Amino acid sequence: MIDELLYFLELFFGGLTRGSIYALIALGYTLVYGIIELINFAHGEIYMIGAFTALIVAGVLGIYGFPAVAILVIASLAAVIWAAAYGFTVEKVAYKPLRGASRLSPLISAIGMSIFLQNYVILAQTSDFVPFPQLLPDLPFLEHIGYIMGPSDFIILVTSTLTMVSLTLFIRYSRMGKAMRATAQNRTMALLLGIDANKVISLTFIIGSGLAAIGGVLIASHMGQVNFAIGFLAGLKAFTAAVLGGIGSVPGAMVGGIVLGLCESFTTGYFSGDYEDVLAFGMLVLILIFRPDGILGKAKVQKV
Amino acid sequence: MFKQRLLKAALASVWFMVLTFPLMGIQLNRVENVIHWRFDRIAMLGAGIFVLAMLWHWCFERRALGLPLIKLPDKVVNTAYSLPSRPLFRRGLPAVILMGMLLMPMVSSIYQTNIMISALLYVMLALGLNIVVGLAGQLVLGYAAFYAVGAYTYGMLYEYFGLTFWVCLPLGGLAAVIAGFLLGLPVLGLRGDYLAIVTLGFGEIVRLLLLSQADLTGGPAGISNIPRPGFFGMEMSLDQVTTYIYYLVLGAVLLTIVVISRLKNSRVGLALQALREDEIACEAMGVNTTRVKLSAFVLCSCWAGFAGVIFAAKTTYINPASFTFMESAMILSMVVLGGMGSITGVVIAAMVLILAPEYLRAFSEYRMLLFGAIMVLMMIFRPQGIVSSERRRYRIPSERQSATENKELSA
C-alpha cells in the first residue's frame, strides 16, 4: 500500500516536473499565437538553441575553472539572452515581412525556419548527442524524499513556478504587459490607441524565447544530454500543451503543460513507455478535432 | 541613402556575428578540454551577412517601389510569356524532354538511373501533395505517413502472404486512401493551421506505431528483402530490373501529370482552387467544402500510397526512418518552391532539389539548410513559386483587341 502510494507520488512529481517544462515552452507558443495568430514552428528550435548555448558557455567557463554556482548563473543567463536574440531575429527575418500575407505563408516560413535552425546547429556544432554538464547543485534537504523528488525536479518546479508567476504579474500589471494584452485583443484598436504593435510583437518573441531557454537549460541538465533534434519533439509536445489549455490563453498553457506532463508520466508508469509520444500526439489530434479551443480557451466565431 | 544602407548592413552583420558566436565560434573538445575559437568562421559569416543584408534591403526597396526583383529586357519577358502559347514550344519541348527521359537508362549507368528513379519518385510525391497544398490550399504536414502506409502495405503483405508487387500496388493505394479517408473525415473541418498540425501529429503517430509494433512491422529494423517488381515472371539482372523500374516510375509520373492536369480544370479541381482563394466565399457559392476537401485529400494520399509501394520495391528495404517529418517537409518545400498548383513548377523543383545535391557533393551537406532557407525566402519574395500557376482565363476578345494582339505578335 505504502509502496504504491510512493510510486504514485514519484510519478506525480515526475509528471509535474515534465509538465512545468512543457508549460514554459508552451507559453511561448501561446503568447505569439495570441498576438499574431501564428503557430511559431521554430519555437522548439529556440529552446534547443538555448540549451546548446548554455552547454557551450558552461563548457568554456568550466575549462577556465569557474565555480559551479557562477557557471550555472552565467550559462543560464547567456542561454536566455541568446535565445531571446534568436527569437527576435527569427521574427524580424521570417515573419515580419509576411505580415498581411495569407495565413499559410507565415506557417510555411516558420517550418522553413525550423528546418534551417536545426541544420544550422548540425553544421555549426554536431549532429551527435552531447553530454550536458551537471549544473544544478545538490540539495541536501531532499535526501529523505530523494526517490520521490530529486534535486533537479525540485529546482525545475521552483524555477518554473517563479517564472510563471512573474510572467503573469508582468502581463497583468506592467505597461508593456497591458499593451500585449490589448494587442492580442484587437490589434487595430491597439494601434489606434498608440501602441507600437511591432514593438509588442518583438517583445512577445523575446519573452517567449527567453522562457523556452529557461526550459531548455532545466530539461537539459535534468536529462544530461542534448542534440539538435530535441527541439522538434519538445516543441510539438509543448504545442500540444498550449492547444490543450486553449491556445492564446496564458493560464491555459500552464494548465495544459501540467496536464500533459501528468498524463505522460502516468501512462509511462502504469502502462508502458512505448506509448509516451503516441499519447501526446494522439491527444493533440483528438483535442484539435473535438475541442480545438482547449480547456480554458474561448470558442471563437469566425467572422467573414 | 547608400551610406544609410551600408550602415544598416554593417549593423546587421555585427548583430549576426554576436548572435551566432556561441554556436559558430566556439567548439569544445571535451576529451582534451580545449576550446577552439573559430574566429575565421565568424569573420566569414560577418562578411556574408553584410552582402546578404545589402541584398535584402535592396529587394525590399525594389518591392516597395513596385518593381520586379530582376528586370529582364522587355523582349525576353514577352518571349517568355508567349512561349507557352506557341505550338512548337508547347508540343515540341515536352516531346524532346520525353525522348530524353526515355533514352536515359540506355546511355547512363545504373547509379545514375537509380538517382533518376528517386528523383522521379519525388516528382510523383510532390505532384500528389500539390493536389491538396497547391490546388486546395490546405497545408498537410504528415504526407510521409501515407507514403509509409503504401510502403508498409507492400512490405507486410509480401512478408506475411507473399503477395507480389502488382497485386500490392493497388492495395497500397487503397490502404493509403483508407488512411486518408479516416483521418480526413474528422479533421477537414478544421481551420488551416490546425489542419497542418493535426496531420503532423498523425504522421508522427504512424511513424511511432511502426517503430513500436516491432513484432508486426520489424520495429526500427524495418522489413528487408522486399522483392523488386516482376515482369510476367521473367528473370532479370540488376541492370535490367533497374531499367524496368525506371520506366515504371516514368510511366507513373506521366500518368500523374495527365491525371492532375485533367483534374485541375475539372469541376472538383475548380472547386478546389476556389476553396484555396476563399473558403467562405466558396462555401457560399454552394460548394460542399468538406466533400471537396476530402476528395482532394483522398486522392493525394492515394498517390503517396502508390509511390510508397514503388519505393519499397525500388529499395527492397524499408524502415520508419525513411518516413520522418523531414521527408514530409522536403516534399512540401518542393511544392512551395515549384509554385503551388503549378505542375511544371513542381516537376522542376522536385528534380532540382533531388538532383542538385546528388551531383554537387559539396552542396549536399547544406541540403536541408538550403531547403529551410528556400521555404522562408520563397514565402517572402515569391509566394507563387518559380513557375506561378497560370490561371484559366475565359476571354471574349473584342475585334479591336484581337487586332492589336495580332499586331503585337507579328511585331
Side-chain angles (χ1 to χ4, degrees):
Chain A
M1 187 60 208
I2 197 83
D3 277 352
E4 275 172 30
L5 187 70
L6 282 179
Y7 187 55
F8 175 83
L9 279 177
E10 187 191 331
L11 291 180
F12 179 77
F13 281 110
L16 216 56
T17 310
R18 210 188 262 229
S20 47
I21 300 282
Y22 291 153
L24 278 179
I25 313 172
L27 283 169
Y29 281 107
T30 263
L31 287 172
V32 166
Y33 193 90
I35 291 188
I36 53 174
E37 300 224 321
L38 161 76
I39 298 172
N40 180 13
F41 214 85
H43 191 58
E45 268 54 62
I46 300 287
Y47 148 91
M48 179 264 296
I49 285 177
F52 252 99
T53 309
L55 171 90
I56 290 165
V57 172
V60 171
L61 294 179
I63 288 173
Y64 284 127
F66 276 71
V69 184
I71 294 182
L72 175 67
V73 173
I74 299 175
S76 315
L77 269 180
V80 171
I81 291 170
W82 256 281
Y86 271 96
F88 173 81
T89 313
V90 165
E91 194 270 330
K92 283 277 175 275
V93 172
Y95 306 144
K96 198 180 166 207
L98 287 171
R99 260 185 231 144
S102 74
R103 246 183 120 87
L104 287 186
S105 300
L107 185 59
I108 295 176
S109 176
I111 295 167
M113 208 62 217
S114 154
I115 299 173
F116 181 87
L117 287 176
Q118 274 187 31
N119 286 278
Y120 156 71
V121 172
I122 295 180
L123 290 170
Q125 290 286 323
T126 168
S127 58
D128 302 326
F129 269 101
V130 188
F132 197 87
Q134 185 53 48
L135 291 178
L136 305 179
D138 246 350
L139 300 173
F141 65 89
L142 284 174
E143 229 169 64
H144 302 292
I145 54 164
Y147 44 88
I148 299 176
M149 192 204 276
S152 59
D153 294 281
F154 181 77
I155 292 171
I156 288 177
L157 282 177
V158 172
T159 319
S160 46
T161 314
L162 283 178
T163 316
M164 284 188 245
V165 168
S166 36
L167 177 74
T168 313
L169 292 178
F170 173 79
I171 290 180
R172 185 152 303 169
Y173 297 112
S174 78
R175 221 180 137 71
M176 258 341 249
K178 283 179 188 162
M180 275 168 77
R181 279 189 291 146
T183 317
Q185 219 169 50
N186 188 337
R187 190 163 4 143
T188 323
M189 193 61 213
L191 273 172
L192 288 176
L193 292 175
I195 293 171
D196 185 347
N198 278 336
K199 223 175 178 175
V200 170
I201 293 169
S202 289
L203 184 76
T204 314
F205 272 87
I206 289 172
I207 293 177
S209 308
L211 292 174
I214 295 176
V217 175
L218 290 174
I219 199 78
S221 34
H222 185 60
M223 296 293 187
Q225 55 178 9
V226 289
N227 84 340
F228 73 94
I230 57 166
F232 178 67
L233 194 65
L236 264 183
K237 285 192 178 171
F239 180 74
T240 309
V243 173
L244 186 63
I247 195 154
S249 136
V250 172
M254 300 175 190
V255 174
I258 305 279
V259 170
L260 181 67
L262 288 177
C263 284
E264 273 191 16
S265 180
F266 285 128
T267 24
T268 313
Y270 288 120
F271 300 101
S272 138
D274 286 350
Y275 296 105
E276 184 190 310
D277 295 343
V278 176
L279 173 89
F281 295 126
M283 269 169 89
L284 175 64
V285 171
L286 292 178
I287 300 158
L288 283 179
I289 293 171
F290 294 111
R291 198 175 154 72
D293 303 304
I295 303 172
L296 298 183
K298 277 176 247 129
K300 258 193 221 150
V301 179
Q302 197 184 5
K303 281 171 274 186
V304 180
Chain B
M1 192 66 190
F2 186 68
K3 223 172 168 181
Q4 213 174 15
R5 213 192 278 166
L6 276 179
L7 194 71
K8 260 187 169 171
L11 268 178
S13 153
V14 170
W15 171 256
F16 273 93
M17 285 203 285
V18 173
L19 186 69
T20 54
F21 184 70
L23 282 169
M24 293 272 286
I26 306 175
Q27 277 198 317
L28 296 171
N29 186 331
R30 254 159 268 276
V31 187
E32 291 160 33
N33 265 348
V34 229
I35 310 167
H36 296 290
W37 300 98
R38 300 292 305 271
F39 290 111
D40 52 330
R41 275 181 171 185
I42 296 291
M44 264 160 59
L45 183 116
I49 292 291
F50 183 78
V51 176
L52 283 180
M54 292 292 282
L55 260 175
W56 181 263
H57 288 304
W58 181 79
C59 288
F60 277 100
E61 264 167 35
R62 295 280 294 192
R63 201 162 71 166
L65 294 172
L67 296 167
L69 289 186
I70 303 159
K71 183 92 180 86
L72 293 169
D74 283 340
K75 213 168 177 184
V76 179
V77 175
N78 285 339
T79 340
Y81 274 117
S82 65
L83 269 183
S85 56
R86 290 191 188 171
L88 186 69
F89 183 83
R90 228 165 86 181
R91 308 242 178 276
L93 194 69
V96 170
I97 292 173
L98 189 64
M99 281 303 286
M101 296 298 285
L102 283 174
L103 291 175
M104 194 218 156
M106 291 167 199
V107 290
S108 65
S109 63
I110 292 194
Y111 170 72
Q112 276 169 337
T113 315
N114 260 324
I115 291 175
M116 206 52 174
I117 292 174
S118 49
L120 285 174
L121 258 178
Y122 275 104
V123 169
M124 195 175 156
L125 282 168
L127 283 172
L129 185 65
N130 195 20
I131 303 174
V132 166
V133 178
L135 286 184
Q138 307 293 317
L139 193 55
V140 169
L141 294 177
Y143 193 53
F146 302 113
Y147 185 37
V149 167
Y152 270 86
T153 308
Y154 179 34
M156 280 159 62
L157 283 179
Y158 168 73
E159 187 145 299
Y160 295 111
F161 304 104
L163 295 186
T164 58
F165 174 78
W166 288 107
V167 182
C168 287
L169 188 61
L171 288 179
L174 186 70
V177 162
I178 293 169
F181 186 78
L182 289 180
L183 174 70
L185 206 55
V187 306
L188 283 173
L190 291 174
R191 252 199 357 244
D193 37 4
Y194 278 7
L195 177 74
I197 296 293
V198 169
T199 52
L200 172 60
F202 172 77
E204 285 299 298
I205 290 175
V206 168
R207 191 177 63 83
L208 290 168
L209 285 180
L210 289 178
L211 271 174
S212 62
Q213 303 296 319
D215 24 340
L216 206 62
T217 61
I223 303 173
S224 46
N225 290 325
I226 301 168
R228 296 193 168 83
F231 188 65
F232 299 112
M234 231 167 77
E235 283 286 319
M236 280 188 282
S237 68
L238 186 66
D239 201 0
Q240 283 168 324
V241 96
T242 311
T243 314
Y244 174 53
I245 296 177
Y246 175 83
Y247 284 120
L248 194 84
V249 180
L250 187 62
V253 167
L254 290 178
L255 179 77
T256 316
I257 292 176
V258 171
V259 168
I260 291 178
S261 52
R262 301 292 299 166
L263 175 81
K264 227 171 132 178
N265 290 332
S266 72
R267 211 181 155 75
V268 177
L270 291 174
L272 285 176
Q273 288 165 67
L275 192 73
R276 176 184 66 191
E277 298 305 324
D278 192 326
E279 199 164 332
I280 295 163
C282 173
E283 207 166 356
M285 296 307 288
V287 174
N288 183 345
T289 50
T290 313
R291 212 171 86 193
V292 169
K293 268 193 224 173
L294 194 61
S295 50
F297 203 67
V298 161
L299 198 62
C300 144
S301 47
C302 174
W303 241 260
F306 288 147
V309 176
I310 301 178
F311 172 76
K314 181 220 156 201
T315 51
T316 72
Y317 168 70
I318 47 173
N319 71 346
S322 313
F323 309 105
T324 56
F325 168 70
M326 280 301 148
E327 202 73 10
S328 303
M330 206 158 86
I331 302 168
L332 179 70
S333 66
M334 289 167 192
V335 176
V336 169
L337 177 65
M340 300 206 192
S342 151
I343 297 174
T344 330
V346 171
V347 173
I348 296 174
M351 286 291 205
V352 169
L353 287 184
I354 295 299
L355 295 183
E358 288 298 340
Y359 289 107
L360 304 167
R361 276 288 161 196
F363 169 85
S364 67
E365 222 180 300
Y366 298 93
R367 169 186 186 147
M368 288 313 283
L369 191 82
L370 282 175
F371 280 11
I374 283 171
M375 283 167 85
V376 176
L377 293 177
M378 288 303 282
M379 280 299 120
I380 295 173
F381 293 112
R382 208 175 153 79
Q384 72 272 39
I386 38 175
V387 180
S388 55
S389 99
E390 69 288 0
R391 290 201 177 187
R392 207 159 81 148
R393 276 192 216 127
Y394 297 92
R395 203 185 278 152
I396 306 161
S398 66
E399 220 134 273
R400 194 188 299 157
Q401 218 176 1
S402 58
T404 47
E405 266 179 22
N406 281 339
K407 211 183 276 172
E408 267 174 29
L409 279 178
S410 57

